[in-house]
Amino acid sequence: MAEPGPQRGWFVFGFRGFAEPRGGGARRVEPEPGGIRLVRPAWSYTGLVTGRGRLALRGWLAGALPGHCQDLLPSESHVLLLRGAALEAWARGAGLCGGPAWRRRLHPGEAARPLPLAPGGYVTPRPPFLCPLPPALRARKLVLGHEHAALLCPAGTVYTWGCGRHGQLGHGGLEPVLEPRLVEALHGVPMADVAAGGWHSVSVSEGGDLYVWGWNESGQLALPSKALAEKRPPAAAELKLVSHEAALGAEAVDFISIQAFPALLDLPEGSEVSKVSCGSRHTAAVTRTGELYTWGWGKYGQLGHNEPASSDHPRQVGYFPANGLTVEDVVCGPWNTYVCAVEK
């Protein structure tokens, strides 16, 4: 009889409701029959897609999902479902009862795609629900921030559009962009992954380099944050500035609130990145050797360091190597972080 392979599981740290203490450590997510294939977090609940194609909800909406669902996109106002041969938006306030508030049937020949991608465009869990994309623009992946969107093409180019007041579009200005526009600063460097936070964006090149842009108020770009420096004790703030100077090779450090162009970010020890995800104001990256680094807003322990502290530099999450685990995937919710890890 063959021996069982390494055990794989999902873990979560960060916000779990106001009744629970801040800064709690990692908690293993209760497994589903067939395993958990995808995690779709919202603020107050999380959707899980199992290996058997079944969907489950954890949190305030647990057990309230209509049948025949294949994928979901959650928000606090609506749940967008791929259900049978249709896309449906169900109002959360109605407890997912009484029928969908919006529905769009998939016609024969229209292949279902991982949400938010949809035939002819993309969907959002808020009205108007379905948004068109230019027919000539082919999408490999699409991610949604609070007020902007980013699209990764098969050729590795990145397009962004939406609100740009925090530099989250990466075009160098703060103006809104109504239609998808190429992020020219990344052109010529093929990207393998892209992620959107509340008001910041991150991409990973095919070579494993990490690029960040947008709002840095909470250190979510891992660039020097004045807001965080002002909260540190004087000695700690001085030490932090010295470490940033050494990391950046600069004689002086300028605080960065908004980074309107993509900036190359080096992880400790020159680690190459395989996967990235963004929360509202924090960021997490998985390296090709299975380590997890996090940075940004940490009020609810979403950075995984057993403390409710924010950070404007990448720190490795020690829980996983301490427990003999290699990280394979990461998915950030607004105020929490889900991690898939396997035994070494």
Side-chain angles (χ1 to χ4, degrees):
M1 181 181 294
E3 295 185 2
Q7 294 296 306
R8 178 178 285 100
W10 282 88
F11 301 79
V12 60
F13 40 84
F15 182 74
R16 303 171 195 168
F18 287 111
E20 298 198 29
R22 299 176 185 174
R27 174 175 60 88
R28 193 180 185 100
V29 178
E30 183 180 344
E32 290 283 333
I36 298 171
R37 183 170 59 88
L38 291 174
V39 176
R40 305 277 198 186
W43 177 71
S44 65
Y45 66 102
T46 298
L48 305 176
V49 182
T50 75
R52 296 178 180 177
R54 176 178 169 271
L55 269 68
L57 293 179
R58 301 282 178 88
W60 291 354
L61 287 180
L65 196 66
H68 308 292
C69 296
Q70 302 146 262
D71 200 355
L72 82 163
L73 196 63
S75 77
E76 295 307 305
S77 62
H78 292 81
V79 182
L80 202 297
L81 299 175
L82 174 61
R83 184 167 175 252
L87 294 163
E88 299 177 347
W90 292 66
R92 244 199 93 217
L96 300 189
C97 298
W102 170 88
R103 192 170 195 269
R104 198 274 200 188
R105 177 169 291 278
L106 299 179
H107 302 295
E110 289 185 334
R113 308 182 66 184
L115 299 179
L117 289 172
Y122 64 99
V123 291
T124 70
R126 306 170 187 85
F129 302 118
L130 181 62
C131 304
L133 285 172
L137 194 61
R138 297 179 58 204
R140 173 175 158 191
K141 181 179 182 180
L142 189 144
V143 289
L144 301 172
H146 288 337
E147 300 175 314
H148 75 294
L151 182 147
L152 177 65
C153 292
T157 52
V158 175
Y159 289 76
T160 60
W161 64 98
C163 176
R165 59 179 173 164
H166 294 293
Q168 63 263 53
L169 302 184
H171 303 307
L174 307 182
E175 302 81 11
V177 174
L178 299 181
E179 297 291 334
R181 178 186 296 176
L182 176 69
V183 181
E184 296 183 1
L186 298 175
H187 194 53
V189 182
M191 294 293 140
D193 196 16
V194 66
W199 301 272
H200 70 291
S201 304
V202 182
S203 67
V204 180
S205 74
E206 291 183 353
D209 291 326
L210 192 62
Y211 294 83
V212 298
W213 64 96
W215 200 25
N216 190 50
E217 182 266 348
S218 297
Q220 57 263 57
L221 303 185
L223 300 175
S225 167
K226 183 178 181 180
L228 296 190
E230 291 175 344
K231 295 178 182 179
R232 298 187 192 103
E238 182 179 349
L239 178 63
K240 187 64 170 51
L241 282 175
V242 172
S243 69
H244 264 300
E245 290 173 10
L248 299 174
E251 296 181 357
V253 172
D254 293 324
F255 293 117
I256 297 174
S257 174
I258 290 176
Q259 175 68 36
F261 281 112
L264 178 63
L265 177 66
D266 291 326
L267 291 186
E269 301 179 3
S271 300
E272 295 179 348
V273 176
S274 62
K275 171 73 177 178
V276 70
S277 186
C278 300
S280 179
R281 286 183 286 163
H282 74 287
T283 306
V286 180
T287 70
R288 291 180 174 177
T289 50
E291 293 90 26
L292 177 68
Y293 288 86
T294 60
W295 58 92
W297 191 49
K299 180 178 180 180
Y300 291 98
Q302 59 264 52
L303 302 187
H305 304 305
N306 284 315
E307 59 183 7
S310 301
S311 174
D312 57 2
H313 69 287
R315 293 176 59 191
Q316 184 179 357
V317 179
Y319 173 87
F320 299 101
N323 288 275
L325 297 168
T326 297
V327 176
E328 294 185 336
D329 198 4
V330 64
V331 179
C332 293
W335 295 357
N336 55 24
T337 305
Y338 285 83
V339 181
C340 181
V342 62
E343 292 179 350
K344 294 182 179 179

